[in-house]
Amino acid sequence: MNAERADHFEARAKRQMREVIRKIVIIAMSLGVCMWSFISWSLLTEYAAARSVGQTEGYNLTAAFASELTKTFDSVAAALRLIESDIQAHPLDAGFDMENLRRSIKAIAGPGTEVRIAGSDGHLLFSSAAPNAEMDDFSKRADFITHRDNPSLRLSLDPLRSAVAGTAIEVSRRLETPDGQFAGEAMLLLTSANIVSLNRKIDIGRRGTVVVAGEDGIVRARFDQDHPDGTVGVGTDLSGGSYPDHLDPGATAGFIRQAPTDGVTRLVSVRALENYPLRVIVALDMDDVLGTAREHVWLICLVGIGATMLIGALTGLLLRETSRRTKREIELAYDRDRLQAAQVQIEADRAMLEVTNRDLVASQAVAEVANRARTQFLAHMSHELRTPLHAIIGFAELIQDQAPTKSGAPPIAGYATDIWASGRHLLELINTILDISKVESGTAILAETVFTVAELARNSLVSVRAQAEAKQVSIELRLPEIALRLKADRTRLLQVLINLMSNAVKFTPNDGRITLSAAVSDTGEPVIAVSDNGIGMTESEVAIALEPFGQVDSTLSRAFEGTGLGLPLASKLTELHGGRLLVTSVKGKGTTVTVTLPANRVMYREAVRAVSR
């Protein structure tokens, strides 16, 4: 049932995860679309603003160049009027002063301006340039015929004269006699370099151009950075495409066009002069016009790409985290089900444990009752056994004293001695069992007195001295210089030391060494240690030796008598004093048994601290 619920939760969690992922993707895509829409709008706005600024700049430049060009042709018209007035005042056939006229024209029209004067028959009467045979007769030229036949047309701008090298525009004027008769034609020829000079002062860019063209779209002059003389492209026809065929005087038009001369796309501004049939064209390179805008475009695009990558990365991280969290929730759901199943099992096990615990409590109670019965039985039996044993020991002593000692008499005294020794051994065994039973049952009572450790140690040596001398085992006694006084049960502590010293002598080979030492630890606890270089024990053998009636399976240990109660009794009596007994042994190297008592059993602590220092 729990597995089905977990599977249902997994399916629902995956559906929710897919829905969340779909929403995240939609939001991220919407954010990206909105951002790039804004970026596109910004780019279009930037381009439009740059184009508008460029168009405004082009309009301003055309106005400036148109103003300069108008002034130039106004000067030309003034020079032609001067020629007419001089000719009327001094006819050409009456000693006309040509040098004076040349100086006057130069002052008005400027240097580099060529002047020609033709008579009423069309023959060349005056030229400021070198003579040219081809230009002697003007009678068949359209401009001469127009001036001759149309008195109302006083000033005209003729088409480009390709026959004259470097000529851009020819301005001509009808000459009349004082009585109004046709007297000829005065022509002033302007080179491209003399039309405008403002282009040398204004930076129109590396590939920007300034063009002067007629209403027919024919280029009269074209200026750029590499050709400031205005001669490049002269004669090119600009008409067609977006070029305006008709433009009111003083009006301005703008468009973008790829130039037919060099193929560069430019932002073109065209302005018609108000008083002359000419147009000023300023064409700015689109790369210059949109240069700053394109830099901004690149910057904005880079920012947009970075933002898109950031949105994508964040979206990916969010999707991954959503997937991980969903997977973790599914795992937690299964873990929850497993935990619930485990909890059910634990509850069942707990119920079984409670039943087992009740059984154990009952068993413990039965065991405690049995233990108390055993202890009482041992104490009672020990008491009952000691009474006849005392009698046996007493009668054995009596028989020893009264047995016949004559030669040939039966060895009754020897038998009595054996009975006495066996009785004493059995009595010691019973006393030991009785002491252990009292300690385990809690009925043992300490008879505490104050005594010195030195006295206790020397008294313990008395019991084992004969056995040690027989095996030639040396005993070293190490005691503090200042007497260490204890408050404890002297008899029971003496029994502890005697048992430890007896074991040490018993399991130390001949010519061995035993050390009995006493000291105070850093925590103020009295420590009594018995060390030997005997047979030693392993850890498992130490555990056996601490058990009542425990016998270590050793050939050397089996060579000595023992009930296996000495070490357990010493441990019980130490614990009765609130201390602890520790056995440290190395097989084949010896054993050290340490008895540590509580610090409150030390008397005269000031002296003890002095000893420890």
Side-chain angles (χ1 to χ4, degrees):
M1 189 65 180
N2 291 336
E4 294 179 359
R5 185 169 59 250
D7 293 339
H8 177 70
F9 176 81
E10 180 180 3
R12 185 179 61 186
K14 288 184 177 179
R15 286 197 303 271
Q16 292 178 352
M17 179 188 69
R18 288 192 291 268
E19 183 65 20
V20 171
I21 289 176
R22 186 179 67 85
K23 292 180 179 178
I24 291 174
V25 171
I26 291 175
I27 292 174
M29 293 180 63
S30 300
L31 184 60
V33 170
C34 292
M35 181 184 68
W36 280 106
S37 298
F38 176 76
I39 290 176
S40 301
W41 175 81
S42 300
L43 298 182
L44 294 176
T45 304
E46 185 79 14
Y47 273 119
R51 181 175 175 179
S52 177
V53 171
Q55 192 171 25
T56 301
E57 182 180 0
Y59 286 177
N60 293 334
L61 289 175
T62 56
F65 282 108
S67 176
E68 182 185 17
L69 193 59
T70 299
K71 290 180 180 179
T72 299
F73 282 101
D74 287 345
S75 299
V76 171
L80 293 176
R81 286 195 299 271
L82 177 62
I83 292 173
E84 183 181 19
S85 62
D86 284 348
I87 290 176
Q88 289 178 353
H90 305 282
L92 293 176
D93 55 357
F96 182 75
D97 190 355
M98 293 294 181
E99 187 63 28
N100 181 52
L101 178 61
R102 184 182 290 110
R103 286 196 298 269
S104 300
I105 295 173
K106 183 178 180 180
I108 297 174
T113 302
E114 182 179 354
V115 179
R116 294 171 184 171
I117 301 175
S120 60
D121 56 358
H123 289 286
L124 181 65
L125 301 177
F126 170 80
S127 176
S128 62
N132 188 345
E134 297 179 358
M135 301 301 295
D136 287 344
D137 188 6
F138 291 88
S139 59
K140 296 181 180 180
R141 285 181 48 173
D143 55 329
F144 181 84
I145 296 173
T146 300
H147 284 298
R148 184 189 64 187
D149 298 339
N150 189 3
S152 63
L153 180 62
R154 303 301 300 274
L155 186 70
S156 68
L157 275 69
D158 292 337
L160 177 69
R161 300 299 184 187
S162 58
V164 182
T167 300
I169 299 175
E170 179 185 277
V171 184
S172 62
R173 184 179 177 84
R174 174 187 170 93
L175 299 178
E176 294 180 351
T177 61
D179 57 358
Q181 296 297 319
F182 178 71
E185 179 186 18
M187 294 163 284
L188 195 150
L189 286 77
L190 298 176
T191 60
S192 301
N194 293 332
I195 294 176
V196 291
S197 61
L198 193 61
N199 61 299
R200 300 183 182 92
K201 302 177 182 179
I202 297 177
D203 183 13
I204 56 175
R206 187 174 60 86
R207 296 192 296 182
T209 62
V210 178
V211 178
V212 178
E215 290 183 341
D216 54 0
I218 303 300
V219 175
R220 298 311 198 263
R222 182 179 180 276
F223 304 92
D224 57 25
Q225 191 177 54
D226 297 329
H227 304 86
D229 57 353
T231 58
V232 62
V234 174
T236 303
D237 189 0
L238 300 179
S239 60
S242 55
Y243 186 82
D245 295 332
H246 175 74
L247 195 63
D248 294 334
T252 305
F255 56 91
I256 297 176
R257 183 179 181 179
Q258 186 176 14
T261 54
D262 54 11
V264 177
T265 302
R266 294 181 174 89
L267 179 61
V268 182
S269 299
V270 183
R271 186 182 184 91
L273 271 66
E274 295 183 0
N275 300 321
Y276 302 97
L278 293 174
R279 295 180 180 182
V280 177
I281 304 169
V282 176
L284 301 177
D285 186 4
M286 288 299 295
D287 290 339
D288 295 336
V289 173
L290 302 178
T292 304
R294 286 173 178 170
E295 293 178 359
H296 293 172
V297 166
W298 278 108
L299 180 61
I300 293 174
C301 288
L302 289 176
V303 173
I305 292 173
T308 302
M309 294 176 62
L310 179 61
I311 292 173
L314 293 177
T315 302
L317 292 175
L318 188 57
L319 294 179
R320 186 179 66 175
E321 183 63 25
T322 301
S323 177
R324 286 182 177 178
R325 179 165 296 184
T326 302
K327 182 178 179 181
R328 182 57 181 164
E329 288 178 353
I330 294 172
E331 292 176 353
L332 289 176
Y334 281 105
D335 291 341
R336 189 184 306 112
D337 289 338
R338 286 193 292 269
L339 288 175
Q340 289 176 355
Q343 185 176 3
V344 172
Q345 184 63 37
I346 289 172
E347 293 295 335
D349 294 341
R350 182 180 299 171
M352 294 178 62
L353 288 175
E354 289 179 354
V355 174
T356 305
N357 189 43
R358 286 195 296 269
D359 294 342
L360 289 176
V361 170
S363 300
Q364 183 180 4
V366 173
E368 289 179 352
V369 172
N371 188 48
R372 285 195 298 270
R374 178 183 64 83
T375 302
Q376 293 176 0
F377 171 76
L378 288 175
H380 180 70
M381 290 302 297
S382 297
H383 178 72
E384 294 297 330
L385 288 174
R386 282 191 297 180
T387 300
L389 279 176
H390 281 299
I392 291 172
I393 292 171
F395 283 118
E397 291 177 351
L398 181 61
I399 293 172
Q400 283 180 340
D401 294 338
Q402 297 182 2
T405 57
K406 296 180 180 181
S407 177
I412 297 175
Y415 298 149
T417 301
D418 293 338
I419 294 172
W420 179 84
S422 300
R424 291 293 300 178
H425 179 69
L426 184 58
L427 181 59
E428 291 178 359
L429 178 60
I430 292 173
N431 287 335
T432 301
I433 294 173
L434 182 59
D435 290 338
I436 293 177
S437 299
K438 287 182 178 179
V439 174
E440 290 180 348
S441 62
T443 59
I445 300 175
L446 297 177
E448 296 182 352
T449 58
V450 178
F451 56 90
T452 62
V453 175
E455 177 190 358
L456 186 70
R458 292 188 181 94
N459 289 336
S460 66
L461 294 180
V462 174
S463 301
V464 298
R465 190 179 302 277
Q467 183 180 358
E469 290 176 355
K471 297 180 66 175
Q472 296 181 351
V473 174
S474 64
I475 299 177
E476 181 182 359
L477 187 63
R478 296 179 182 177
L479 299 175
E481 296 179 359
I482 299 177
L484 179 60
R485 300 172 64 84
L486 301 178
K487 182 179 181 181
D489 191 327
R490 181 183 179 281
T491 302
R492 295 188 184 277
L493 283 184
L494 180 61
Q495 187 176 2
V496 170
L497 289 184
I498 290 174
N499 289 345
L500 297 181
M501 292 296 294
S502 298
N503 286 342
V505 173
K506 183 188 299 183
F507 297 109
T508 299
N510 295 341
D511 298 327
R513 184 180 69 257
I514 299 174
T515 301
L516 174 60
S517 62
V520 179
S521 67
D522 294 338
T523 59
E525 297 175 323
V527 179
I528 302 174
V530 177
S531 302
D532 63 67
N533 59 349
I535 60 175
M537 296 177 289
T538 63
E539 292 184 3
S540 59
E541 291 175 346
V542 170
I544 295 174
L546 289 173
E547 294 293 331
F549 302 102
Q551 293 287 343
V552 178
D553 189 13
S554 172
T555 303
L556 184 57
S557 64
R558 288 297 185 183
F560 300 95
E561 298 179 355
T563 60
L565 293 175
L567 194 58
L569 178 59
S571 178
K572 297 293 182 182
L573 294 177
T574 301
E575 293 174 358
L576 185 62
H577 283 80
R580 58 187 182 278
L581 184 141
L582 176 65
V583 179
T584 305
S585 183
V586 179
K587 191 71 173 180
K589 292 187 178 181
T591 303
T592 299
V593 182
T594 304
V595 176
T596 304
L597 299 177
N600 58 6
R601 293 194 174 277
V602 179
M603 307 300 293
Y604 309 109
R605 295 187 180 179
E606 293 77 4
V608 172
R609 282 196 291 269
V611 172
S612 63
R613 287 196 296 268

